[in-house]
Amino acid sequence: MLKGSFELIGDKSISHRAIMFSSISKGHNKISNFLMGQDCLSTISCFRKMGVDIEINGADVFVKGNGLYGLKPPLDILDVGNSGTTIRLISGILAGNKFEATLIGDESIGKRPMKRVTDPLRLMGCKIEGKEDANFTPIKIYGGNLNAIDYKMTVASAQVKSALILASLYADGKSIIHEKVRSRNHTEIMLKSFGADITVEDLAININPVQELFSQNIYVPGDISSAAFIIVGALITKGSEVIIKNVGLNETRTGILDVVKNMNGNIEILNQRLVGGELVGDLLVKYSPDLNATTIDKAIIPRLIDEIPVIAVLATQAEGTTIIKDAKELKVKESNRIKAVVDNLKLMGADVEELEDGMVIKGKVSLKGANIKTFKDHRIAMAFSIADLGCDGDVILDNKSCIDISFPGYFKLLKDLSI
Ligand code: SPQ
């Protein structure tokens, strides 16, 4: 069982944005509770290569911003490692800067589609070269002289939206980005605090270019996507009771809380407060023996996209048929997360069927130990470490180190909470 309370590590999405926006602001920035995960360290490394002075001190990061037009041409290739957020968002910034830069990443990044970003950036007048018509790395961006855009997005993606908002800061007039479905809005919230001229009307984001962004002190709230593993662990293991402190509760990220409530999970939000424009609170989660199945589809999907692997584990412990659909995007994450979850759950004895855009899971079943293929995907590794908690036998992960991408210290925390 899991017992105790702990402070949650910083949010990955917000940590990336804090480094990027600080780097293109004017003045000294302090970022507290920064996530020292490998993905966020890749973002730091890319901006250092463009002449930004970034110092790490414990969980704080100090960034001396170069100003909106002050980045230097990188002397070296920019390597984003495993980070989709870095490559998508940085492309928007590079498109606005008058120099050439080449982006590469690891094997998984090499398979993740970039046309969703490079196509609209080309429409803004940016010259971009890359494998398969700039769909895959290496991608070379020749930035500068962007025209404004009025663009209807074709995928529900915060990364595409953010890249286009960032490019719009450098455009020659007002841009409008129309979202298909509302996705996480940390870029809009944080850029406004840096002085960007951004207004949001329903699904339309209006951006007027500005001369400069101004430095900030940023506190990064805890990552609800990381909390998700502990939430599910506590819900499914007998006798558990955990308090997770300092969880980011931005409404565009809290789909998992709605799902847990629909499934009759015992979860309570305590001590809600607003920190730097983001809602934060503590979560009290207790073992829930009477979980029921649910359907997860449509507009909630972007609000819990990264939590689906562990929600699937939860569904195996719920009575009835859980349906997850409209989640095709899972196929182009760090791994094909639909296949990875379905195949591994089958190995553990779950009743699960793969769909083109999701999966169907019938519960409740007793899971058994298995050798799990993580595909070096941090969310798959953590989801199946949670499946291990209630199962008969042992789960053996073929790779554990990938967890450092988003949750350094994960196994120590799990051990500290386990009694
Ligand atoms: O950064 P990366 O590799 O894309 O990370 C993932 C994750 O599981 O941590 C997705 F694989 O999160 C994305 C998320 O799925 C982070 C993100 C963001 O910070 O803007 C947005 C989502 O991606 P998308 O493509 O839906 O915009």
Side-chain angles (χ1 to χ4, degrees), residues 140-253:
K140 188 163 184 181
I141 299 183
Y142 303 79
N145 302 321
L146 296 182
N147 46 261
I149 194 172
D150 186 332
Y151 186 72
K152 280 196 176 55
M153 288 176 52
T154 52
V155 279
S157 163
Q159 294 178 352
V160 176
K161 170 178 68 173
S162 299
L164 299 182
I165 291 174
L166 286 162
S168 300
L169 295 175
Y170 300 90
D172 63 358
K174 176 182 172 179
S175 292
I176 310 176
I177 317 295
H178 304 268
E179 281 200 88
K180 213 175 149 192
V181 183
R182 199 150 175 255
S183 63
R184 68 192 70 188
N185 61 358
H186 308 301
T187 297
E188 297 89 308
I189 292 174
M190 198 188 291
L191 269 182
K192 265 194 223 170
S193 77
F194 276 85
D197 181 353
I198 297 180
T199 52
V200 182
E201 297 160 47
D202 295 327
L203 294 175
I205 300 123
N206 307 293
I207 310 107
N208 281 301
V210 285
Q211 289 302 311
E212 201 54 273
L213 298 177
F214 299 98
S215 60
Q216 296 297 308
N217 286 336
I218 302 156
Y219 177 80
V220 180
D223 197 329
I224 192 165
S225 299
S226 299
F229 302 101
I230 307 299
I231 293 173
V232 172
L235 290 171
I236 64 174
T237 48
K238 215 172 189 171
S240 292
E241 184 166 332
V242 176
I243 293 181
I244 310 174
K245 290 185 185 157
N246 187 30
V247 184
L249 295 175
N250 178 317
E251 197 227 315
T252 61
R253 298 283 298 280

Side-chain angles (χ1 to χ4, degrees), residues 2 226 228-230 232-234 236-237 309-310 313 344-345 348 367 370 372-374 377-391 393-400 402-403 407 410-415 418:
L2 301 180
S226 299
F229 302 101
I230 307 299
V232 172
I236 64 174
T237 48
V310 79
V313 171
N344 284 317
L345 278 181
M348 293 188 73
L367 297 176
I372 298 298
K373 270 197 184 163
T374 61
D377 182 336
H378 53 130
R379 306 235 182 256
I380 298 299
M382 285 185 277
F384 283 89
S385 75
I386 293 302
D388 181 45
L389 294 179
C391 87
D394 288 323
V395 160
I396 297 163
L397 305 174
D398 67 357
N399 184 300
K400 286 184 177 175
C402 59
I403 292 174
F407 205 153
Y410 172 73
F411 281 114
K412 180 176 182 316
L413 173 68
L414 208 54
K415 197 169 162 225
S418 299

Side-chain angles (χ1 to χ4, degrees), residues 25-47:
S25 75
K26 199 176 171 59
H28 294 266
N29 303 266
K30 180 182 175 189
I31 307 166
S32 316
N33 199 38
F34 180 79
L35 174 69
M36 296 293 168
Q38 274 170 14
D39 270 9
C40 301
L41 296 175
S42 294
T43 292
I44 289 184
S45 150
C46 288
F47 281 87

Side-chain angles (χ1 to χ4, degrees), residues 254-372:
T254 51
I256 183 165
L257 302 185
D258 297 351
V259 164
V260 167
K261 281 181 194 145
N262 282 341
M263 294 176 81
N264 198 30
N266 194 338
I267 192 163
E268 233 180 286
I269 301 175
L270 313 170
N271 193 19
Q272 277 198 59
R273 60 230 183 243
L274 209 58
V275 184
E278 294 278 358
L279 193 64
V280 173
D282 304 334
L283 296 177
L284 169 63
V285 197
K286 293 184 187 163
Y287 171 56
S288 303
D290 300 316
L291 292 169
N292 51 255
T294 189
T295 294
I296 303 168
D297 61 0
K298 301 185 187 134
I300 200 171
I301 295 292
R303 295 179 57 227
L304 48 64
I305 187 77
D306 298 335
E307 290 68 79
I308 290 176
V310 79
I311 289 174
V313 171
L314 180 66
T316 65
Q317 302 309 304
E319 209 60 60
T321 303
T322 291
I323 301 169
I324 301 172
K325 55 184 186 184
D326 302 325
K328 221 177 181 164
E329 275 294 300
L330 287 176
K331 291 184 167 180
V332 289
K333 299 294 182 187
E334 285 83 325
S335 67
N336 175 345
R337 287 182 177 163
I338 296 180
K339 199 170 160 36
V341 167
V342 169
D343 289 354
N344 284 317
L345 278 181
K346 275 185 184 159
L347 288 176
M348 293 188 73
D351 184 346
V352 52
E353 183 200 331
E354 185 176 339
L355 304 178
E356 180 52 27
D357 61 349
M359 63 196 82
V360 177
I361 301 157
K362 289 188 186 143
K364 176 178 184 171
V365 292
S366 301
L367 297 176
K368 58 179 186 342
N371 290 319
I372 298 298

